[in-house]
Amino acid sequence: MTKRNKKNSKAAPTGNIRIIAGKHRGRKLPVLMAEGLRPTTDRVKETVFNWLAPYILESNCLDCFAGSGSLGFEALSRGAHHVTFLELNPDAAKQLQANKATLKADNVTICKTDALSYLKNEQQQYSLVFIDPPFRKNLVEQTAQLIDQNLLADEALVYVEMEKDNNTQQMPSHWKLLKEKTAGQVIYLLYQINKTS
C-alpha cells in the first residue's frame, strides 16, 4: 500500500479534453498537465472548428505542437482523413498514444519529436495545419516558414494560436488571412494558402 501511494505521488498530474462534435462527440480524453502545455479552450475550439467546417472532411492534418491533442483529435472526430501529431514531451506523446488507442484511431500518426527538426525533413503535403506552440518561444514564424517550403497543398488552411502581444511574428506574404479573433491573452487566426499569388 505504501509503495503504491509513493508511486502515485510521482505520477504527472492529469486533466482532460472534451471532443465537441463528430464521431467521438462528448468523449473526454485524459491529458498530461505539464509546463508549456495549454489545451485550446472549448470556447476557442468551437469557434475554430466552425470556421473549418467546410474544409475538414477528408483533410490531411498536421498538428505541429500537439500537446494535449485537443485540435488534432477534434479534426479526427469531424472526419479528417489522417492526422499527424508532433510532440516533443515524452510523457505527453505517450498520452497521445494512449488516447489514439482509446479511440481505435488507425488514421493517426504520433511522432515524439522536435517539430522544427521534423518539418525540415518532411516530404508529405497537408491540407490543414495547426500551429499552436508554447508561448514566448517565437516558434510561430519559424514553423510557418518551414511548412511553406513544400508541405502545403494548394489552398491549404493553417490555424495559428499565439499570445496576443506577439506582433513580431511574420507569416508568408501569400498566406491570406481569413479569420482572426482574440480571447483573453490569446489571438487565433486562420490563413489560406494561395500559391499563385
Side-chain angles (χ1 to χ4, degrees):
M1 191 77 169
T2 309
K3 282 184 182 174
R4 183 183 297 172
N5 287 342
K6 243 183 211 180
K7 186 178 178 183
N8 286 347
S9 69
K10 290 182 181 178
T14 58
N16 63 64
I17 54 169
R18 182 176 67 90
I19 295 178
I20 296 171
K23 179 181 176 182
H24 303 295
R25 180 180 180 177
R27 290 293 294 270
K28 288 188 175 181
L29 300 173
V31 297
L32 177 76
M33 304 306 286
E35 186 179 355
L37 267 63
R38 301 169 297 95
T40 300
T41 66
D42 278 5
R43 184 163 65 97
V44 170
K45 190 161 64 171
E46 192 155 10
T47 300
V48 171
F49 279 90
N50 283 342
W51 293 349
L52 293 174
Y55 312 99
I56 206 108
L57 195 64
E58 292 300 308
S59 58
N60 188 24
C61 301
L62 175 65
D63 194 344
C64 291
F65 301 88
S68 67
S70 180
L71 295 169
F73 283 125
E74 188 72 33
L76 180 78
S77 180
R78 295 178 186 235
H81 174 69
H82 190 275
V83 183
T84 301
F85 293 89
L86 309 182
E87 177 52 47
L88 183 59
N89 182 304
D91 293 323
K94 188 176 178 182
Q95 186 62 66
L96 290 171
Q97 288 284 7
N99 290 341
K100 169 185 172 178
T102 296
L103 297 177
K104 298 180 173 61
D106 295 333
N107 52 340
V108 162
T109 301
I110 294 161
C111 303
K112 188 185 82 61
T113 184
D114 170 71
L116 298 184
S117 299
Y118 181 93
L119 294 173
K120 285 174 186 173
N121 299 299
E122 175 63 307
Q123 302 296 319
Q124 192 174 168
Q125 286 203 324
Y126 297 91
S127 54
L128 175 59
V129 178
F130 298 112
I131 304 175
D132 179 15
F135 282 178
R136 314 292 173 200
K137 295 191 183 293
N138 292 320
L139 290 165
V140 170
E141 185 174 338
Q142 295 179 70
T143 306
Q145 296 295 340
L146 284 171
I147 64 170
D148 193 55
Q149 311 261 326
N150 62 355
L151 304 185
L152 297 171
D154 290 333
E155 300 188 335
L157 295 166
V158 180
Y159 169 75
V160 176
E161 188 173 320
M162 60 186 174
E163 59 272 41
K164 188 168 65 174
D165 57 1
N166 193 358
N167 54 14
T168 61
Q169 304 287 291
Q170 296 294 315
M171 299 299 109
S173 59
H174 58 277
W175 289 22
K176 179 184 176 185
L177 181 62
L178 297 182
K179 302 281 186 180
E180 178 180 347
K181 204 163 182 179
T182 58
Q185 297 306 305
V186 174
I187 183 168
Y188 49 111
L189 313 101
L190 184 65
Y191 293 91
Q192 187 162 42
I193 312 315
N194 184 354
K195 292 185 178 181
T196 59
S197 65

